[in-house]
Short mmCIF file of all heavy atoms in Angstrom, two decimals:
data_model
loop_
_atom_site.label_atom_id
_atom_site.label_comp_id
_atom_site.label_asym_id
_atom_site.label_seq_id
_atom_site.Cartn_x
_atom_site.Cartn_y
_atom_site.Cartn_z
N VAL A 290 158.29 2.15 110.42
CA VAL A 290 158.55 0.71 110.46
C VAL A 290 159.90 0.42 111.10
O VAL A 290 160.04 -0.52 111.89
CB VAL A 290 158.48 0.12 109.04
CG1 VAL A 290 158.92 -1.35 109.04
CG2 VAL A 290 157.07 0.25 108.49
N LEU A 291 160.90 1.22 110.76
CA LEU A 291 162.21 1.02 111.36
C LEU A 291 162.17 1.22 112.87
O LEU A 291 162.76 0.45 113.63
CB LEU A 291 163.22 1.98 110.74
CG LEU A 291 164.67 1.83 111.23
CD1 LEU A 291 165.20 0.44 110.93
CD2 LEU A 291 165.55 2.90 110.61
N GLU A 292 161.44 2.25 113.30
CA GLU A 292 161.31 2.49 114.74
C GLU A 292 160.57 1.34 115.43
O GLU A 292 160.93 0.93 116.53
CB GLU A 292 160.57 3.80 114.97
CG GLU A 292 160.44 4.18 116.44
CD GLU A 292 159.76 5.51 116.63
OE1 GLU A 292 159.52 6.21 115.63
OE2 GLU A 292 159.44 5.84 117.79
N ASP A 293 159.54 0.82 114.76
CA ASP A 293 158.78 -0.27 115.35
C ASP A 293 159.61 -1.54 115.43
O ASP A 293 159.59 -2.26 116.45
CB ASP A 293 157.51 -0.53 114.53
CG ASP A 293 156.58 0.68 114.53
OD1 ASP A 293 156.63 1.45 115.50
OD2 ASP A 293 155.83 0.84 113.55
N LEU A 294 160.33 -1.85 114.35
CA LEU A 294 161.16 -3.05 114.33
C LEU A 294 162.35 -2.92 115.28
O LEU A 294 162.87 -3.91 115.78
CB LEU A 294 161.66 -3.34 112.91
CG LEU A 294 160.61 -3.85 111.93
CD1 LEU A 294 161.21 -3.94 110.53
CD2 LEU A 294 160.07 -5.21 112.35
N SER A 295 162.77 -1.69 115.50
CA SER A 295 163.95 -1.45 116.34
C SER A 295 163.54 -1.00 117.74
O SER A 295 164.28 -0.28 118.41
CB SER A 295 164.83 -0.38 115.69
OG SER A 295 165.12 -0.70 114.36
N PHE A 296 162.36 -1.41 118.17
CA PHE A 296 161.84 -0.98 119.46
C PHE A 296 162.82 -1.27 120.59
O PHE A 296 163.07 -0.43 121.45
CB PHE A 296 160.51 -1.68 119.72
CG PHE A 296 159.88 -1.32 121.03
CD1 PHE A 296 159.34 -0.07 121.25
CD2 PHE A 296 159.85 -2.24 122.08
CE1 PHE A 296 158.77 0.27 122.47
CE2 PHE A 296 159.28 -1.91 123.29
CZ PHE A 296 158.73 -0.66 123.48
N ILE A 297 163.40 -2.47 120.60
CA ILE A 297 164.34 -2.84 121.65
C ILE A 297 165.59 -1.98 121.57
O ILE A 297 166.21 -1.66 122.59
CB ILE A 297 164.69 -4.34 121.55
CG1 ILE A 297 163.42 -5.17 121.71
CG2 ILE A 297 165.71 -4.73 122.60
CD1 ILE A 297 162.71 -4.96 123.02
N VAL A 298 165.99 -1.58 120.35
CA VAL A 298 167.16 -0.73 120.20
C VAL A 298 166.97 0.58 120.95
O VAL A 298 167.82 1.02 121.72
CB VAL A 298 167.43 -0.45 118.70
CG1 VAL A 298 168.57 0.55 118.54
CG2 VAL A 298 167.76 -1.75 117.98
N TRP A 299 165.81 1.23 120.70
CA TRP A 299 165.57 2.54 121.31
C TRP A 299 165.28 2.43 122.81
O TRP A 299 165.57 3.36 123.57
CB TRP A 299 164.40 3.23 120.63
CG TRP A 299 164.47 3.26 119.13
CD1 TRP A 299 163.55 2.79 118.25
CD2 TRP A 299 165.54 3.77 118.32
NE1 TRP A 299 163.96 2.97 116.96
CE2 TRP A 299 165.19 3.58 116.98
CE3 TRP A 299 166.77 4.38 118.60
CZ2 TRP A 299 166.00 3.96 115.93
CZ3 TRP A 299 167.57 4.76 117.55
CH2 TRP A 299 167.19 4.56 116.24
N GLU A 300 164.71 1.32 123.25
CA GLU A 300 164.27 1.20 124.64
C GLU A 300 165.19 0.34 125.50
O GLU A 300 164.86 0.04 126.63
CB GLU A 300 162.86 0.61 124.69
CG GLU A 300 161.80 1.46 124.02
CD GLU A 300 161.54 2.75 124.77
OE1 GLU A 300 161.85 2.81 125.99
OE2 GLU A 300 161.05 3.70 124.15
N PHE A 301 166.35 -0.03 124.96
CA PHE A 301 167.18 -0.98 125.70
C PHE A 301 167.62 -0.43 127.05
O PHE A 301 167.59 -1.12 128.07
CB PHE A 301 168.41 -1.37 124.87
CG PHE A 301 169.14 -2.57 125.43
CD1 PHE A 301 168.81 -3.85 125.02
CD2 PHE A 301 170.13 -2.42 126.38
CE1 PHE A 301 169.45 -4.95 125.53
CE2 PHE A 301 170.78 -3.52 126.91
CZ PHE A 301 170.45 -4.78 126.48
N ASP A 302 168.03 0.84 127.07
CA ASP A 302 168.49 1.45 128.32
C ASP A 302 167.38 1.47 129.36
O ASP A 302 167.55 1.07 130.51
CB ASP A 302 169.00 2.86 128.03
CG ASP A 302 169.61 3.50 129.27
OD1 ASP A 302 170.03 2.76 130.17
OD2 ASP A 302 169.66 4.74 129.32
N SER A 303 166.19 1.96 128.94
CA SER A 303 165.05 2.00 129.86
C SER A 303 164.62 0.60 130.26
O SER A 303 164.23 0.36 131.41
CB SER A 303 163.88 2.74 129.21
OG SER A 303 164.23 4.07 128.92
N LEU A 304 164.69 -0.33 129.32
CA LEU A 304 164.29 -1.70 129.62
C LEU A 304 165.22 -2.32 130.66
O LEU A 304 164.78 -3.10 131.51
CB LEU A 304 164.31 -2.53 128.33
CG LEU A 304 163.76 -3.96 128.43
CD1 LEU A 304 162.31 -3.95 128.86
CD2 LEU A 304 163.91 -4.67 127.09
N ALA A 305 166.50 -1.97 130.61
CA ALA A 305 167.44 -2.49 131.60
C ALA A 305 167.08 -1.98 133.00
O ALA A 305 167.10 -2.74 133.97
CB ALA A 305 168.86 -2.07 131.23
N GLU A 306 166.75 -0.69 133.11
CA GLU A 306 166.33 -0.15 134.40
C GLU A 306 165.03 -0.78 134.87
O GLU A 306 164.84 -1.06 136.06
CB GLU A 306 166.18 1.37 134.31
CG GLU A 306 167.48 2.12 134.14
CD GLU A 306 167.32 3.60 134.39
OE1 GLU A 306 166.53 3.96 135.29
OE2 GLU A 306 167.97 4.39 133.69
N PHE A 307 164.12 -0.98 133.95
CA PHE A 307 162.83 -1.59 134.28
C PHE A 307 163.03 -3.01 134.81
O PHE A 307 162.42 -3.41 135.80
CB PHE A 307 161.96 -1.60 133.03
CG PHE A 307 160.61 -2.23 133.24
CD1 PHE A 307 159.77 -1.79 134.24
CD2 PHE A 307 160.19 -3.27 132.42
CE1 PHE A 307 158.53 -2.36 134.43
CE2 PHE A 307 158.95 -3.84 132.61
CZ PHE A 307 158.12 -3.40 133.61
N SER A 308 163.89 -3.77 134.17
CA SER A 308 164.16 -5.13 134.62
C SER A 308 164.75 -5.12 136.03
O SER A 308 164.42 -5.97 136.86
CB SER A 308 165.12 -5.82 133.65
OG SER A 308 165.43 -7.11 134.09
N ALA A 309 165.62 -4.13 136.32
CA ALA A 309 166.20 -4.03 137.65
C ALA A 309 165.11 -3.75 138.69
O ALA A 309 165.12 -4.32 139.79
CB ALA A 309 167.25 -2.91 137.67
N SER A 310 164.15 -2.90 138.35
CA SER A 310 163.05 -2.59 139.29
C SER A 310 162.20 -3.83 139.53
O SER A 310 161.76 -4.07 140.66
CB SER A 310 162.19 -1.46 138.73
OG SER A 310 162.93 -0.27 138.63
N ILE A 311 161.94 -4.61 138.49
CA ILE A 311 161.16 -5.84 138.65
C ILE A 311 161.85 -6.77 139.63
O ILE A 311 161.24 -7.32 140.54
CB ILE A 311 160.96 -6.54 137.29
CG1 ILE A 311 160.01 -5.73 136.41
CG2 ILE A 311 160.41 -7.94 137.49
CD1 ILE A 311 159.80 -6.33 135.04
N ARG A 312 163.16 -6.94 139.45
CA ARG A 312 163.90 -7.85 140.34
C ARG A 312 163.83 -7.39 141.79
O ARG A 312 163.59 -8.17 142.70
CB ARG A 312 165.36 -7.93 139.90
CG ARG A 312 165.59 -8.61 138.57
CD ARG A 312 167.07 -8.67 138.29
NE ARG A 312 167.35 -9.14 136.95
CZ ARG A 312 168.56 -9.30 136.46
NH1 ARG A 312 169.60 -9.01 137.21
NH2 ARG A 312 168.75 -9.74 135.24
N ARG A 313 164.07 -6.08 142.00
CA ARG A 313 164.11 -5.58 143.36
C ARG A 313 162.73 -5.64 144.02
O ARG A 313 162.61 -5.98 145.20
CB ARG A 313 164.65 -4.14 143.37
CG ARG A 313 166.13 -4.05 143.06
CD ARG A 313 166.59 -2.61 142.87
NE ARG A 313 166.28 -1.80 144.03
CZ ARG A 313 167.00 -1.78 145.15
NH1 ARG A 313 168.07 -2.56 145.26
NH2 ARG A 313 166.67 -1.00 146.16
N LEU A 314 161.69 -5.31 143.28
CA LEU A 314 160.34 -5.40 143.83
C LEU A 314 159.96 -6.83 144.12
O LEU A 314 159.36 -7.13 145.16
CB LEU A 314 159.34 -4.77 142.87
CG LEU A 314 159.28 -3.24 142.82
CD1 LEU A 314 158.29 -2.79 141.77
CD2 LEU A 314 158.89 -2.68 144.18
#
């Protein structure tokens, strides 16, 4: 449950790179 609720915590770094790829594409 903690991992699920903290999904953005664990994935923030990857999410930042993903957002950059979306912008560039």
Side-chain angles (χ1 to χ4, degrees):
V290 173
L291 183 60
E292 183 178 352
D293 297 333
L294 288 174
S295 308
F296 179 71
I297 300 301
V298 174
W299 310 124
E300 297 292 338
F301 193 90
D302 185 23
S303 298
L304 187 60
E306 290 194 37
F307 179 55
S308 178
S310 296
I311 290 178
R312 292 182 188 181
R313 288 171 57 79
L314 283 177

